[in-house]
Amino acid sequence: MKKTVFSITAFAISAAMLVGCGGAKKEGGKKGALSGSNAEKVYVAPGEHDEFYAFISGGFSGQLAVYGLPSGRLFKVIPIFSQDAEKAYGYNEETKPMLETSYGFVPWDDAHHPDLSQTKGEIDGRWCFINGNNTPRIARVDLKTFETAEILEIPNSAGNHSSSFVTENTEYVVAGTRFSVPVPQRDMPISEYKGNFKGALSFISVGNEGEMDLSFQILMPGFDYDLAHPGRGASHGWFFFTTYNSEEANSLLEVNASQNDKDFIAAINWKKAEEYIAAGKFTTVPAEYAHNVYSDRTHSATSTMKKEVRVLNPADCPGLVYFLPTPKSPHGCDVDPSGEYIVGNGKLSANLTVHSFTKMLDAIKNEKFDGEAYGIPILKFEDVLAGTVVQPGLGPLHTEFDDKGNAYTTFFISSEVVKWKLGTWEVLDRKPTYYSVGHLMIPGGNSQKPWGKYLVAMNKITKDRYLPTGPELCQSAQLYDISGDKMELLSDFPTIGEPHYAAACPADLIAPNQTKIYKLEDNQHPYVAKSEKETKVVREGNVVHVYMTMIRSHFAPDNIEGIKVGDKVYFHVTNLEQDYDVPHGFAMIGANNSELLIMPGQTETLFWEPKQVGVWPMYCTDFCSALHQEMQGYVRVSPAGSSTALSWSLDGE
Amino acid sequence: MKTKLSLLGIAGLLMVFVSCGTDQSASSNATAGTSEAEQNTPLGQASVVDEASDPNILQVAIGSEAHSTLVAAVQAAQIEHVLVNAGPLTVFAPVNEAFDALPEGTVENLLKPENKATLAGILTGHAAPGSFDVEGLKKEARKGRKLYMADGSYLEVTTEGEDVLVAGAKVIATIQTSNGIINVVDKVILPE
């Protein structure tokens, strides 16, 4: 124990020395923009469009932010796992089911790794997937609407971290559990973790319309599964997951999970898994997990509880899993565009380890094993090693690639990005980040076709980088030009929450496919009113349904009487507009939830429980038109038991 | 970058199309990216390319042969952006015959650059904030409410049998558009 503490201290001291020796000079931010043409490189003139969409995770905000590159302009925050009062996500009746889980309604999560759908190994611009860490979930965002279309809970998991990465034809999106847990969950002593806890790796199939289905889980030994990336090209059909805590410690992991010289990268042959599934080698185990789907037709989500999952046990499935020894608690697990190299970013390792897929296949064929763990063969380190990047920096976290055979790795402790050459393993360039970088992202970086023009480094700490805002500061993204031999820091911009990881692609893969309005005639919401003539107020006991419409610049009806204290009122509001970028809002005084923000042709529902007698206003919250301020109305609330008749009107008619 | 260029190209084309008779040219718009670009967009929202929405008032008018004089006048007055605004707007759109019925030389005179402001004033006198279809206009007449117009005037709405008249101009058709309503009328409404 003492020894470990000492070595970590030494580590930190040497880190400090390295940084002190010119690793991180200030000039990068202070006069960089003036020293070259950097300002021009990120300037996108008013009215012009950015070249790339960047989807940057909001981390603990639970959301996904959409930026343009190179400008760093923020276009939209897409609510995924957290309620968003601005858009009524998780507040209106239609989207509440999106946040249902086997634990009930969970209105927050820790969003980590977005990944874009692919076809033939290239980004196709259809969907963006992102994982929720805390209450294990994967969400799919439809890039036609930039709305969360689907959320699937992951059973037998805890801390859904090595997620949500897709295979090269989006056959699967994967989810690996950070925490191993008892499977199935049961009441048992924590100290009996070792050998008893399991780590589930989940393979979720993705259909032609994007629909997700938990196809199978592989029940792995009780390690922690950190990150993952798919094979591509020749290695398509394999998936690689980094592990840490191969010690199977259950306490003080910062020390106890750093004991082994090497942890593992788990190489999963998912095509083999499909064979085993087809051959019936799985067991079906009871589980409980929510599957939530939003429909653009009904403008509503449904939540279905699923009851079982197919499980493969590696010990019963030879050839399914191999372990590649990888030094020191690797974090990022990154496969180069060719599919040959698998980079293990050993967080506590002095060197960066790169495995060879070809050598791996050879070692498997010739059974060059170095023992086994829980029935899973461990390949000999020397026999799978492609090369080592020697002493590139401190605290390697994550690597991505350009289209010229170079790799770029972030180093958390030494706060830098290091460019190195695949094959020769030589370091070509290093640039400081400000400060403490986590992941980095190159557009198309997790695909066969990266666009090696920009690199975005995502920093955890900003200290003196921006105007201070009290104790809590924003985190940041930093944009580098990587088109030349040397990287060049162009700009940095603040992000929402924690910019944990990101995905990006050229805008023309996404922009032309946008839904601009929802066709009113296609609206299948059960409470839609497609014209003012269809508006009405219906009482069913103490439940009142208001079928309401909105168009510039009034609600129909806008005067409602006969509501009583104790009623449960549902305002089903349809935006009759068929004009791009003309949403309307709806707010009711005293509503215990949020506003509604309704797109053209869409219907949303606000629940309101009037508690006080009186005449209460409602109004449009979105500055929709020249007469927006006039877009308002009243609801008369009478005492419970009052005989005031139910009535509604617009302009007295 | 390619996309950007082609978008610019489309914007440029639109510019030429919509702004014939003005001094704007496609080439000056193609310099977007410099500070000049900001000054060269008199069309405002009228230059937005949007094929998904229902057509707006300007697009419907441009597509109507019966309104070619009105469209030419709107373009000469450079008030296209008003007709694509979020509104809501009700436009009383005189047909070509209504313009023909004006004293000889009136239209030609109004189309002269030096009369741009006068022309714009007359045209905005044909637009009312709010959405008034025929039923809405009948209600105005029934309730004795005057229509407040965009130029600050108030117009009387009357009915004759099934017909609705606004300041004496008869509504002969009503068209719903994405940003308001066009009531086709048989007379040009001139300020008093």
Side-chain angles (χ1 to χ4, degrees), chain A residues 143-159:
Chain A
L143 294 181
K144 289 199 298 293
T145 59
F146 281 62
E147 303 282 357
T148 304
E150 191 176 4
I151 293 180
L152 179 68
E153 190 182 352
I154 312 296
N156 299 328
S157 289

Side-chain angles (χ1 to χ4, degrees), chain A residues 56 69 398 400 408-411 415-418 431-443 454-462 466 475-482 487 489-495 499-502:
Chain A
I56 303 185
L69 297 180
H398 176 221
E400 291 215 344
Y408 302 78
T409 303
T410 46
F411 293 84
S415 276
E416 59 185 339
V417 181
V418 173
K431 284 287 182 301
T433 64
Y434 305 90
Y435 308 96
S436 297
V437 62
H439 284 273
L440 56 76
M441 180 275 288
I442 292 169
Y454 299 116
L455 179 157
V456 176
M458 286 155 273
N459 301 309
K460 312 302 176 194
I461 291 170
T462 56
Y466 303 108
Q475 302 191 18
S476 80
Q478 288 193 303
L479 183 73
Y480 295 81
D481 179 347
I482 56 166
M487 296 177 281
L489 176 61
L490 298 180
S491 73
D492 62 10
F493 52 92
T495 55
H500 190 88
Y501 183 40

Side-chain angles (χ1 to χ4, degrees), chain B residues 49-118:
Chain B
V49 179
D50 172 13
E51 282 130 13
S53 303
D54 287 351
N56 59 41
I57 292 171
L58 180 66
Q59 289 165 331
V60 170
I62 288 173
S64 162
E65 278 178 33
H67 291 94
S68 55
T69 308
L70 175 67
V71 170
V74 165
Q75 289 165 349
Q78 291 192 326
I79 56 166
E80 293 98 325
H81 60 279
V82 174
L83 301 183
V84 301
N85 193 273
L89 206 60
T90 299
V91 171
F92 296 92
V95 292
N96 291 346
E97 290 78 13
F99 286 99
D100 294 344
L102 293 173
E104 201 176 325
T106 309
V107 173
E108 289 74 11
N109 193 41
L110 284 171
L111 289 175
K112 286 178 182 162
E114 62 266 31
N115 293 327
K116 194 169 121 180
T118 311

Side-chain angles (χ1 to χ4, degrees), chain A residues 339-530:
Chain A
E340 168 61 13
Y341 297 120
I342 304 137
V343 181
N345 302 258
K347 286 192 297 282
L348 306 177
S349 170
N351 300 330
L352 206 55
T353 305
V354 185
H355 297 302
S356 156
F357 178 71
T358 312
K359 286 182 150 185
M360 183 193 91
L361 287 188
D362 185 66
I364 291 169
K365 195 174 152 200
N366 296 304
E367 301 192 342
K368 293 178 178 171
F369 299 149
D370 199 0
E372 46 105 2
Y374 297 102
I376 297 168
I378 300 169
L379 300 173
K380 279 199 177 125
F381 178 68
E382 296 74 19
D383 288 322
V384 293
L385 186 70
T388 302
V389 187
V390 180
Q391 303 268 342
L394 296 174
L397 270 177
H398 176 221
T399 300
E400 291 215 344
F401 309 89
D402 66 14
D403 45 356
K404 302 177 201 76
N406 301 306
Y408 302 78
T409 303
T410 46
F411 293 84
F412 180 81
I413 295 173
S414 50
S415 276
E416 59 185 339
V417 181
V418 173
K419 175 181 179 181
W420 51 277
K421 188 94 191 148
L422 284 162
T424 69
W425 324 119
E426 62 187 314
V427 170
L428 301 175
D429 188 25
R430 60 176 66 240
K431 284 287 182 301
T433 64
Y434 305 90
Y435 308 96
S436 297
V437 62
H439 284 273
L440 56 76
M441 180 275 288
I442 292 169
N446 172 35
S447 77
Q448 285 191 27
K449 188 185 169 188
W451 287 267
K453 187 169 180 180
Y454 299 116
L455 179 157
V456 176
M458 286 155 273
N459 301 309
K460 312 302 176 194
I461 291 170
T462 56
K463 300 275 190 194
D464 59 352
R465 298 298 291 178
Y466 303 108
L467 286 175
T469 52
E472 184 189 341
L473 303 178
C474 65
Q475 302 191 18
S476 80
Q478 288 193 303
L479 183 73
Y480 295 81
D481 179 347
I482 56 166
S483 58
D485 289 340
K486 299 289 178 189
M487 296 177 281
E488 201 172 356
L489 176 61
L490 298 180
S491 73
D492 62 10
F493 52 92
T495 55
I496 64 157
E498 182 218 355
H500 190 88
Y501 183 40
C505 72
D508 57 15
L509 290 177
I510 294 175
N513 313 326
Q514 294 304 292
T515 297
K516 292 183 170 169
I517 57 172
Y518 297 102
K519 287 284 176 200
L520 195 57
E521 67 207 48
D522 296 336
N523 184 322
Q524 292 171 9
H525 192 289
Y527 293 97
V528 65
K530 293 191 185 182

Side-chain angles (χ1 to χ4, degrees), chain A residues 43-46 48-51 507-508 514 516-517 519 551-554 577-582 624-627 650-653, chain B residues 1 3-4 7-8 32-34 38 48-54 56 85-88 129-131 139-140 142-143 145 178-180:
Chain A
Y43 181 68
V44 178
E48 288 198 13
H49 288 181
D50 280 280
E51 189 179 353
D508 57 15
Q514 294 304 292
K516 292 183 170 169
I517 57 172
K519 287 284 176 200
I551 195 162
R552 283 162 283 179
S553 304
H554 60 269
E577 306 283 358
Q578 292 289 275
D579 196 1
Y580 188 27
D581 198 16
V582 188
C624 59
S625 62
L627 299 171
L650 168 66
D651 200 15
E653 297 184 359
Chain B
M1 193 65 198
T3 318
K4 243 187 271 170
L7 275 179
L8 270 179
T34 70
E38 292 159 47
V48 171
V49 179
D50 172 13
E51 282 130 13
S53 303
D54 287 351
N56 59 41
N85 193 273
S131 299
K139 193 161 73 178
E140 296 305 290
R142 201 166 61 239
K143 296 194 172 186
R145 294 192 294 222
S178 66
N179 63 333

